[in-house]
Amino acid sequence: MCQHYKKNDIVTVSIEDIGTDGEGIGKTDGFILFVKDAVVGDVVEARITKAKKQYAYARLEKLLTASPFRTDPKCPHYRQCGGCQIQALNYEKQLEYKQQKVRNNLIRIGGFKESEIDRVMDPIIGMEEPYRYRNKAQYPVGTDREGHVVTGFYAGRTHTIIPSTECYLGVAENKEILEILIAHMEKYNIPAYDETAGKGLVRHILIRKGFATGEIMVCVVINGGCQGQGFSQKEDYIPYQSALLSDLSKISGMTSVSVSINTERTNVIMGKEIHTIWGSPVIHDVIHVRDMGLEGFPCTGQKLTFAISPLSFYQVNPVQTEKLYSLALEYAGLTGREVLWDLYCGIGTISLFLAAKARQVCGVEIIPQAIEDARANARSNGIDNASFYVGKAEEILLAFYGKSQEDEQEDLRHPDVIVVDPPRKGCDGACLDTMIRMQPSRIVYVSCDSATLARDLRILCDGGYEIKKVRAVDQFGHTVHVETIIETKNPAFSMLSSVKCRNSQEINDFSTLSDTPFYPLFQSRKHLQYCSHSNPEGYRKSTVRPDNF
């Protein structure tokens, strides 16, 4: 029988597990406690903050026995800040936790058998150095009780700013940049934005850095432009702007300073209007291809350069991104003959990674600026077999699938590979349905949320696909978040893809296919689209795809 507890009760509990949000989980008299800031292996006194019938939420009140997995966090604000939920857990145990989190979600949410997941899941790829890995940071700006300008991060589940100019996940230059901006605002009495009143000028500060190039970008998000004292030119958006730019330009690597105008009463950080006020509108970074089959994942010598604007989606951990995208390249199984789609492509990072090994790549992204960046990145890297489309993935994909079979873009209706890298909410249901109907031999799924990944993977597998490989990549050390990459194959469509024709004579000899389990399907010409002698490449895709197959 569970003992009943109420708010503010103090409970002694041993922590036996870690929850999805990094909280410690323990039991006392059959009653489950979720204890914030407790580490697996700890024995703690916890104060209950919210009680339910059979479980309660609590916070760490006193550490009675420290876990052998507990470590001293670098950040003095980690318990207040909502960013690094598991910084007190040693890094080896963090990786173990993330590996198990992905596994559990695939089993519990996806409904896959434990033996099936254990057979295909490789060990998580961790970081060599789990600090100073973020190439992007967004800092809210506000005012403390004494009226001083502050910046930092929001406390967990609040919009209360914890004043700090130092985050050990971000680059060292962030601190100097923030201090310059705060000093400028204090000196010239520039008001921080008050989200309750909707007044004030400076809302957020965005900082990005290209790890390979050393180039730095600062974008100040402001609550509209204004004129008056301190505005020496029409193009000024910030009072005494030239003085601020003079100070920022002295920082080594400073390449771009811009403002983003956001006058909406919203939690969305960036506005739609960006103005470059110093330097270049973009910075650049380089991503290297790595050999994921060798120890240490060495670089192969292949690399791509990307231009990054304030609104660009670009993975925040460039070192781990090289490993993640190199896995995507490996899982796609490209030989140079394939046609593929890259959905939710952002600025084309994965698309261009794959283009060197594919015949044709088509990327889809809903943000127009990202597609402009993707096209520019393709040009700058000399890639001419990648096309990009603006729109929702489910709509663009369905539009191509609905085209006539005689259309010259028939290969895009039935691609060899589809790669998806959706936001945290996962793929749209209509998108998954169209992907299955397109019948690619492989689908590679890159996910930042293994719960929605598990949900979507179940739909794909119910549609005929099988999981071939699963691997987690730690992009976000000291947080509960983890990237996962999955390779799926449809054995039927993989076999059909493997008999792609080189010329019409070869495909007309059905006896060459008699050792396949799909031989009967090839005996009916109505199910077969074969190559024409006039095809200069001598190659087109065999699409033996009966509607009821």
Side-chain angles (χ1 to χ4, degrees):
M1 190 74 180
C2 290
Q3 182 173 340
H4 292 289
Y5 292 98
K6 62 182 185 299
K7 185 175 180 179
N8 287 323
D9 281 352
I10 302 293
V11 182
T12 299
V13 61
S14 296
I15 305 301
E16 302 169 356
D17 204 350
I18 312 173
T20 56
D21 292 326
E23 70 279 17
I25 301 176
K27 290 183 180 179
T28 176
D29 299 321
F31 194 79
I32 301 173
L33 288 170
F34 298 92
V35 185
K36 183 180 180 299
D37 300 321
V39 165
V40 62
D42 280 345
V43 179
V44 303
E45 282 187 357
R47 182 182 296 275
I48 292 177
T49 56
K50 186 176 182 180
K52 298 289 185 178
K53 190 173 182 180
Q54 293 184 316
Y55 65 93
Y57 298 99
R59 67 170 182 264
L60 175 64
E61 195 77 4
K62 184 178 181 181
L63 182 62
L64 301 178
T65 303
S67 166
F69 308 117
R70 178 174 280 278
T71 189
D72 292 328
K74 282 189 175 183
C75 178
H77 307 294
Y78 91 97
R79 288 188 63 176
Q80 303 161 275
C81 175
C84 297
Q85 305 94 337
I86 54 174
Q87 196 176 146
L89 187 66
N90 72 41
Y91 189 60
E92 291 74 19
K93 198 67 176 177
Q94 288 184 31
L95 295 179
E96 181 184 317
Y97 158 70
K98 293 182 181 187
Q99 176 89 353
Q100 195 64 23
K101 180 179 182 178
V102 173
R103 179 181 181 274
N104 288 344
N105 281 337
L106 292 174
I107 293 167
R108 295 173 184 175
I109 299 174
F112 299 99
K113 294 179 181 178
E114 291 186 21
S115 58
E116 180 181 3
I117 298 303
D118 291 342
R119 186 179 69 253
V120 298
M121 191 167 188
D122 289 326
I124 187 171
I125 298 175
M127 301 183 215
E128 295 177 9
E129 175 50 63
Y131 287 102
R132 301 295 188 195
Y133 63 81
R134 287 187 63 97
N135 59 15
K136 174 185 175 183
Q138 297 176 125
Y139 297 88
V141 182
T143 308
D144 65 14
R145 293 179 180 177
E146 286 73 41
H148 299 299
V149 176
V150 294
T151 188
F153 294 98
Y154 291 128
R157 302 181 187 277
T158 76
H159 269 214
T160 301
I161 297 174
I162 300 168
S164 176
T165 57
E166 180 71 283
C167 173
Y168 292 97
L169 303 191
V171 297
E173 292 90 343
N174 290 351
K175 179 178 172 62
E176 183 179 2
I177 292 167
L178 293 176
E179 289 174 349
I180 287 173
L181 280 156
I182 290 172
H184 184 82
M185 291 177 68
E186 290 276 4
K187 180 177 180 179
Y188 296 110
N189 296 315
I190 301 171
Y193 180 70
D194 182 336
E195 63 181 12
T196 302
K199 296 181 179 180
L201 184 63
V202 181
R203 299 176 64 136
H204 277 81
I205 300 164
L206 164 70
I207 306 172
R208 308 187 86 148
K209 181 178 180 180
F211 274 35
T213 62
E215 296 178 0
I216 295 174
M217 166 184 288
V218 175
C219 182
V220 183
V221 184
I222 59 175
N223 183 33
C226 54
Q227 295 294 319
Q229 188 177 2
F231 292 88
S232 59
Q233 300 181 44
K234 263 188 176 181
E235 295 78 17
D236 282 2
Y237 295 91
I238 299 170
Y240 301 96
Q241 183 172 293
S242 59
L244 174 63
L245 295 177
S246 176
D247 291 338
L248 289 175
S249 65
K250 294 172 185 174
I251 296 174
S252 177
M254 187 60 64
T255 302
S256 171
V257 183
S258 60
V259 294
S260 171
I261 297 178
N262 184 358
T263 59
E264 302 292 325
R265 302 285 288 270
T266 175
N267 290 335
V268 176
I269 293 175
M270 300 295 289
K272 297 177 182 178
E273 190 177 333
I274 306 288
H275 299 276
T276 302
I277 59 177
W278 184 86
S280 168
V282 298
I283 61 171
H284 297 85
D285 201 13
V286 178
I287 298 182
H288 298 83
V289 179
R290 291 175 177 261
D291 189 332
M292 301 307 292
L294 296 180
E295 184 177 354
F297 316 124
C299 295
T300 65
Q302 297 173 285
K303 60 184 179 180
L304 292 168
T305 300
F306 292 93
I308 305 162
S309 67
L311 294 177
S312 294
F313 170 77
Y314 187 72
Q315 290 277 5
V316 299
N317 186 332
V319 176
Q320 293 296 93
T321 294
E322 292 183 342
K323 301 169 188 175
L324 181 70
Y325 289 176
S326 295
L327 280 176
L329 182 61
E330 176 188 310
Y331 288 5
L334 302 178
T335 65
R337 301 192 298 268
E338 291 80 9
V339 173
L340 64 91
W341 284 95
D342 177 19
L343 308 181
Y344 313 94
C345 70
I347 63 171
T349 44
I350 294 180
S351 303
L352 302 183
F353 235 61
L354 301 175
K357 296 288 184 70
R359 179 158 63 97
Q360 183 180 4
V361 177
C362 292
V364 181
E365 173 59 55
I366 195 171
I367 301 172
Q369 179 62 51
I371 289 297
E372 289 180 22
D373 291 345
R375 290 168 179 161
N377 286 325
R379 288 192 298 269
S380 66
N381 285 283
I383 294 172
D384 58 7
N385 62 334
S387 304
F388 297 94
Y389 300 91
V390 178
K392 294 181 178 178
E394 60 272 19
E395 294 177 358
I396 297 291
L397 212 59
L398 185 58
F400 272 88
Y401 181 72
K403 289 185 177 182
S404 166
Q405 292 189 12
E406 281 70 42
D407 189 276
E408 63 180 8
Q409 293 180 310
E410 165 65 16
D411 280 349
L412 295 179
R413 297 180 68 248
H414 294 298
D416 300 277
V417 181
I418 295 178
V419 178
V420 296
D421 185 6
R424 198 169 298 279
K425 66 180 181 179
C427 290
D428 182 90
C431 183
L432 291 169
D433 178 64
T434 305
M435 287 164 58
I436 292 170
R437 290 163 64 190
M438 282 182 152
Q439 303 169 350
S441 59
R442 276 186 175 93
I443 295 175
V444 179
Y445 196 130
V446 181
S447 170
C448 57
D449 188 327
S450 57
T452 55
L453 166 66
R455 177 202 67 199
D456 292 351
L457 202 56
R458 170 44 59 197
I459 294 171
L460 293 176
C461 289
D462 287 347
Y465 288 84
E466 296 177 354
I467 304 174
K468 293 299 180 182
K469 292 181 182 177
V470 179
R471 195 156 200 182
V473 179
D474 186 24
Q475 298 271 96
F476 317 104
H478 305 298
T479 79
V480 296
H481 305 297
V482 60
E483 291 275 328
T484 310
I485 183 165
I486 304 270
E487 177 193 352
T488 69
K489 285 185 183 179
N490 189 310
F493 306 143
S494 296
M495 179 67 73
L496 297 176
S497 182
S498 71
V499 295
K500 290 178 177 180
C501 55
R502 311 293 178 169
N503 54 59
S504 57
Q505 286 88 355
E506 182 177 340
I507 200 67
N508 278 328
D509 183 4
F510 294 114
S511 64
T512 63
L513 310 175
S514 59
D515 60 346
T516 76
F518 308 104
Y519 176 62
L521 297 174
F522 290 89
Q523 293 178 310
S524 174
R525 286 289 187 93
K526 69 180 181 179
H527 293 319
L528 183 62
Q529 178 185 4
Y530 56 86
C531 294
S532 165
H533 287 294
S534 63
N535 181 4
E537 297 178 37
Y539 171 83
R540 279 193 67 192
K541 185 171 182 180
S542 170
T543 55
V544 187
R545 305 181 188 278
D547 293 337
N548 62 349
F549 187 61

